[in-house]
Amino acid sequence: PIVVWFRQDLRVRDNPALHAAARTGRPVVAAYVWCPREEGRWPTGGAARVWLHHALDGLTRTLTRTYGAVLVLRDATRTSSFEELRDVARACGAKDVYANRVYEPWKIARDDTCEKALASECGIRYRSFNAGVLYEPWDARPDATDDACWNSGYGSVRFFLRACAALGEPPPPLPAPASMRARLPVERRPRSVALESLGLAKMPRRRGGGGVIDWAAGIRDAWTFGEDGADASLRAFLAEGLAHFDAKRADATTARISPYVRHGELSVREVYRAAKAASVGSRKSQARSAGVFLRRLAWRDLAYWSLWRFPHLADEPLRPQYASQWWAVPWDPDPRGRGDSVPRAVSIVRRRWDVFAPCSNDANLRAWQRGITGYPLVDAAMRELWITGYIPNYMRHVVAGFLIEYLNIDWRHGQLWFHDTLVDADVAIQGFMWQNGGHSGMDQWNFVMHPVYAAKSADPDGEYVRRWCPELSKLPRDYAHCPWEAPATTLARAGVALGREYPKRVLVDLEGARLKSLRAVVEVRRA
Ligand SMILES: Cc1cc2nc3c(=O)[nH]c(=O)nc-3n(C[C@H](O)[C@H](O)[C@H](O)COP(=O)(O)OP(=O)(O)OC[C@H]3O[C@@H](n4cnc5c(N)ncnc54)[C@H](O)[C@@H]3O)c2cc1C
């Protein structure tokens, strides 16, 4: 038999490791090992764990329905991936382990260790494939081929696109294996734990023996998990969304595929091919939209390249001089110094905080996290994030900009919160984007989204705000984004008392705060 080790590729379509194993005609044993200890400083956050639970459930169903196979689940919280794989291979008599590659530097190191130990201790061959990116980081080498990227300090995605263009088109996606041998004699079947026992979607209980706090209900309502959900999202986007791919709206018509791509229920090569095909022979506007969309996929590869090239991307300023930048709320690398703002799901008590429990020592940071800053667009987005585990790209820029430029809070606090609340939380993309927002990244943001002016173009009718901040639902559209400007009678008619139904602004002097941020950056640059 061959053991196929699933990781961030929880699908049967365009799964090169599974495809190669099935083609040998030998029995295939599908395995997944849960090992948060091997995830470096970024163990999977709370919302992403919930997603992972459902993605594993979906993969199990697909394997059983299509091939009569099971997914062997192993819990390595007290062991290691190597030990679990070794035991699975020994149980079924496998001499090969196939896996699709992952790109976080600490996981690359883990895979190297596994490969060596499997070979030296058990005589097991390890073979790996690319299923996660269009171009692997060590192939797309902009710094090796393009001097300009060093001289101009990187910036944008163009330098990376140039390097990728030299590599030609990415390979086409593979179909799901038409058939696969999966049956093993009972005595050769490896032991598997129950999915529930991994505790990925376990909800906390209220203190004092109260009921369950089901914080994942909104996530379950908002999404259809698994390959079928991924496929449906992509098809719907190609049919209706691609032509209007408008990034500057709160309710932007984007693909909403990021969590599927993150957990591997959807292959990025399949997305790429489908978008390319949709752009050929289509109207000029659709071809242009497809071009913008395809660039998003290039940004994704660039983020992976960046994390591979700069392993501290998610932890320290990429431009080292920014380590001395002034922040009203600086970053403390010691979680104890950050009070309760350690990721809730991976905190010592291993449970996510009740919505009403404090999340951080700092009042402004806490208000941002909980969506009670008094700025409706920011609050709407942060509440959508909390409830559904997702917000579109434009809104991520709005809330990140607000945290950094107006609240003057170190970007790493925002990154940590996103890591725990996003269902698509991805260390590479997070590090890349938050660094850019925090001035220390490759492509420093040279814009800031004013929470009121941006709102007027992103959500002109206030519908987005009304959906996520229902306490403002009766306010006339002119005041939906600035309730503090509404006359007292209008507020009273809408049933809003600022400071009671809806919070007062945590910060009134936006321009003053922005100036502080600018000064801090200028100081760094001068020094
Ligand atoms: C502060 C901040 C944090 C972010 N954190 C994450 C994260 O943890 N995980 C994540 O997947 N995306 C992240 N993004 C990027 C982007 O916002 C999301 O990928 C996008 O909103 C997902 O929605 P969609 O599937 O509709 O994307 P679309 O806009 O339709 O794009 C399609 C796909 O392209 C990729 N993509 C899109 N934008 C980017 C980008 N800027 N950088 C890299 N890849 C991109 C994603 O895989 C996405 O699914 C972050 C952006 C910001 C500003």
Side-chain angles (χ1 to χ4, degrees):
I2 299 174
V3 174
V4 174
W5 180 17
F6 281 86
R7 291 99 70 85
Q8 285 157 216
D9 51 351
L10 304 178
R11 61 175 183 269
V12 297
R13 283 205 334 233
D14 193 31
N15 188 321
L18 185 70
H19 200 265
R23 278 188 59 179
T24 62
R26 287 150 59 190
V28 173
V29 174
Y32 180 86
V33 182
W34 168 241
C35 194
R37 287 191 314 159
E38 291 170 5
E39 294 185 296
R41 290 149 69 97
W42 293 98
T44 309
R49 282 183 192 211
V50 168
W51 189 286
L52 177 60
H53 172 95
H54 293 286
L56 289 170
D57 187 39
L59 178 62
T60 304
R61 286 168 200 273
T62 307
L63 287 170
T64 307
R65 192 180 60 219
T66 321
Y67 307 108
V70 293
L71 180 64
V72 174
L73 293 172
R74 305 288 291 215
D75 184 352
T77 40
R78 289 204 179 76
T79 55
S80 67
S81 291
F82 160 67
E83 288 165 90
E84 297 300 325
L85 284 173
R86 178 196 61 197
D87 293 353
V88 169
R90 278 189 181 150
C92 65
K95 282 283 162 226
D96 294 274
V97 171
Y98 287 6
N100 294 309
R101 287 188 278 278
V102 285
Y103 300 97
E104 292 86 348
W106 44 94
K107 292 187 188 165
I108 294 177
R110 185 265 321 264
D111 287 359
D112 281 350
T113 309
C114 268
E115 177 174 1
K116 288 192 186 106
L118 284 170
S120 63
E121 288 185 31
C122 331
I124 292 174
R125 287 176 299 264
Y126 178 86
R127 221 183 128 192
S128 70
F129 305 79
N130 170 23
V133 287
L134 296 173
Y135 299 99
E136 299 202 280
W138 38 85
D139 291 335
R141 289 298 307 272
D143 49 343
T145 56
D146 193 343
D147 285 346
C149 73
W150 281 117
N151 299 337
S152 63
Y154 296 100
S156 191
V157 72
R158 241 173 267 134
F159 75 95
F160 187 72
L161 285 172
R162 278 199 295 273
C164 295
L167 300 171
E169 282 288 293
L174 297 162
S179 62
M180 191 171 83
R181 277 182 67 196
R183 293 226 170 274
L184 286 176
V186 179
E187 68 282 4
R188 303 281 292 275
R189 286 182 202 159
R191 196 173 39 79
S192 176
V193 300
L195 177 57
E196 281 66 30
S197 75
L198 300 180
L200 299 170
K202 191 165 177 227
M203 295 293 118
R205 290 194 160 272
R206 285 185 199 285
R207 288 199 186 98
V212 170
I213 305 167
D214 185 7
W215 54 258
I219 296 177
R220 292 196 304 274
D221 285 350
W223 300 94
T224 306
F225 306 99
E227 263 182 277
D228 292 345
D231 196 43
S233 279
L234 180 62
R235 302 286 141 221
F237 172 67
L238 293 172
E240 294 149 30
L242 185 60
H244 322 282
F245 189 61
D246 176 3
K248 292 193 174 53
R249 298 269 311 195
D251 55 354
T253 326
T254 62
R256 288 181 67 91
I257 52 170
S258 48
Y260 301 109
V261 175
R262 165 70 186 85
H263 297 275
E265 292 146 289
L266 186 60
S267 141
V268 69
R269 292 197 295 218
E270 200 170 328
V271 179
Y272 176 86
R273 278 289 152 143
K276 270 240 141 157
S279 70
V280 176
S282 57
R283 283 201 314 272
K284 227 177 175 180
S285 59
Q286 166 133 344
R288 204 178 315 117
S289 294
V292 176
F293 179 74
L294 287 166
R295 273 170 91 93
R296 294 278 169 92
L297 303 181
W299 279 106
R300 181 174 177 276
D301 267 21
L302 172 56
Y304 277 90
W305 177 81
S306 306
L307 182 62
W308 171 76
R309 181 74 179 73
F310 307 105
H312 61 283
L313 180 73
D315 299 293
E316 288 157 36
L318 207 53
R319 298 170 192 260
Q321 63 273 35
Y322 283 85
S324 62
Q325 182 175 339
W326 168 86
W327 296 102
V329 183
W331 176 249
D332 186 342
D334 179 352
R336 283 166 305 180
R338 296 196 298 265
D340 295 326
S341 76
V342 287
R344 293 156 301 166
V346 292
S347 64
I348 295 157
V349 285
R350 287 193 178 278
R351 69 170 185 78
R352 214 165 137 122
W353 289 101
D354 185 335
V355 191
F356 304 106
C359 305
S360 153
N361 288 339
D362 182 80
N364 283 358
L365 176 54
R366 203 159 62 226
W368 180 82
Q369 291 168 331
R370 295 162 65 184
I372 47 170
T373 64
Y375 287 93
L377 190 69
V378 174
D379 292 344
M382 293 307 288
R383 294 180 195 187
E384 181 185 14
L385 170 62
W386 174 264
I387 292 170
T388 68
Y390 173 90
I391 41 175
N393 189 48
Y394 188 75
M395 297 313 300
R396 294 184 200 206
H397 281 84
V398 168
V399 299
F402 188 78
L403 183 87
I404 293 165
E405 300 294 343
Y406 294 115
L407 297 182
N408 308 133
I409 294 177
D410 190 314
W411 55 271
R412 284 167 284 194
H413 288 283
Q415 179 185 234
L416 186 63
W417 186 255
F418 267 32
H419 182 73
D420 192 44
T421 51
L422 277 172
V423 284
D424 63 22
D426 183 312
V427 181
I429 306 179
Q430 286 255 70
F432 186 79
M433 296 306 288
W434 280 102
Q435 288 255 9
N436 288 343
H439 316 292
S440 54
M442 270 183 207
D443 189 23
Q444 298 153 304
W445 293 355
N446 55 5
F447 53 85
V448 62
M449 271 109 153
H450 189 285
V452 179
Y453 305 148
K456 293 205 165 158
S457 58
D459 181 32
D461 298 325
E463 272 173 37
Y464 181 70
V465 156
R466 275 190 276 276
R467 187 173 343 135
W468 295 106
C469 302
E471 65 271 41
L472 300 178
S473 63
K474 295 204 178 85
L475 264 188
R477 145 197 162 148
D478 284 354
Y479 301 110
H481 294 293
C482 46
W484 57 90
E485 285 180 7
T489 47
T490 309
L491 283 174
R493 262 202 306 277
V496 179
L498 293 179
R500 217 177 56 207
E501 277 78 25
Y502 185 71
K504 289 188 176 157
R505 288 169 289 171
V506 288
L507 166 81
V508 174
D509 181 11
L510 285 179
E511 292 321 310
R514 168 98 174 103
L515 216 60
K516 277 192 200 162
S517 169
L518 282 174
R519 274 200 205 111
V521 173
V522 169
E523 285 284 300
V524 170
R525 292 188 181 162
R526 269 211 200 109

